[in-house]
Amino acid sequence: MDITQLGAIVGLATSAVGLTDKATSTVASIKELFEDDKTPDNSEAAKLLNALAGELTSVNMMNVQLSTMLKTLTDELQKEGAFAAESARYELFETGQGVMIYRLKESEANGEPIHYICPVCLKRDKLVSYVDGRGDYKICQTNRDHFFQFDHTPMRQPKRTRGTW
């Protein structure tokens, strides 16, 4: 979650409260014009009503902005919670070659085969990216530069047939 986003929401809410207080004060001034059976000053009443309309419009617009920002923040928090729950299903695992990678915990498999995910994508990009491959060499499905060696198996040399180099 971005702390500046939270600060903007608090600032906007504070402004909306201030405008609401100002609108309440304007309503009180309008009431005073009509108290004690006195004839109100029409120009003063019109001025106060216009001010009230402007204040209420501003409060309404701020409320719409605030609602949008709160929905965005709520969505972001839900995504972060879902990511945290998904990434908690994995444990750090060291391959035979000392490479660190994430492996699905057996207790969290829920019928899925045990598999590996890329630690770079998980930490840097907040992405669960499967690691694919057979044998001792596996590659991240999202970024082919993320290469993982599980054990040391010499690379096979192609078989030569007679007459070929």
Side-chain angles (χ1 to χ4, degrees), residues 1-151:
M1 172 178 56
D2 184 11
I3 197 72
T4 58
Q5 189 178 20
L6 188 57
I9 289 171
V10 170
L12 189 59
T14 302
S15 295
V17 168
L19 272 174
T20 302
D21 289 343
K22 191 172 179 184
T24 302
S25 175
T26 303
V27 168
S29 296
I30 293 170
K31 281 184 177 181
E32 286 177 15
L33 284 177
F34 293 96
E35 286 180 345
D36 301 327
D37 294 330
K38 57 184 173 182
T39 305
D41 179 357
N42 287 342
S43 65
E44 182 65 20
K47 183 176 122 185
L48 288 171
L49 288 172
N50 283 334
L52 180 61
E55 292 160 1
L56 292 177
T57 300
S58 294
V59 168
N60 190 34
M61 290 175 67
M62 284 185 177
N63 282 337
V64 169
Q65 286 178 313
L66 193 55
S67 292
T68 302
M69 291 172 81
L70 287 171
K71 182 179 179 343
T72 301
L73 183 61
T74 300
D75 291 346
E76 189 177 312
L77 288 172
Q78 286 175 341
K79 285 178 186 175
E80 284 182 15
F83 174 77
E86 179 64 17
S87 61
R89 297 178 60 213
Y90 295 87
E91 62 189 351
L92 200 56
F93 173 79
E94 185 175 4
T95 71
Q97 290 296 298
V99 176
M100 303 306 284
I101 193 165
Y102 282 97
R103 175 177 64 184
L104 180 65
K105 296 175 187 174
E106 287 186 34
S107 62
E108 296 288 331
N110 302 326
E112 292 179 45
I114 299 300
H115 57 270
Y116 301 92
I117 62 172
C118 178
V120 177
C121 292
L122 183 73
K123 294 294 184 180
R124 184 185 66 197
D125 303 330
K126 304 287 186 217
L127 178 68
V128 173
S129 181
Y130 295 111
V131 172
D132 194 25
R134 301 213 185 283
D136 294 339
Y137 304 97
K138 300 187 187 312
I139 298 174
C140 172
Q141 289 181 338
T142 301
N143 186 333
R144 308 295 280 172
D145 293 334
H146 300 164
F147 180 80
F148 305 94
Q149 185 175 1
F150 279 67
D151 214 343

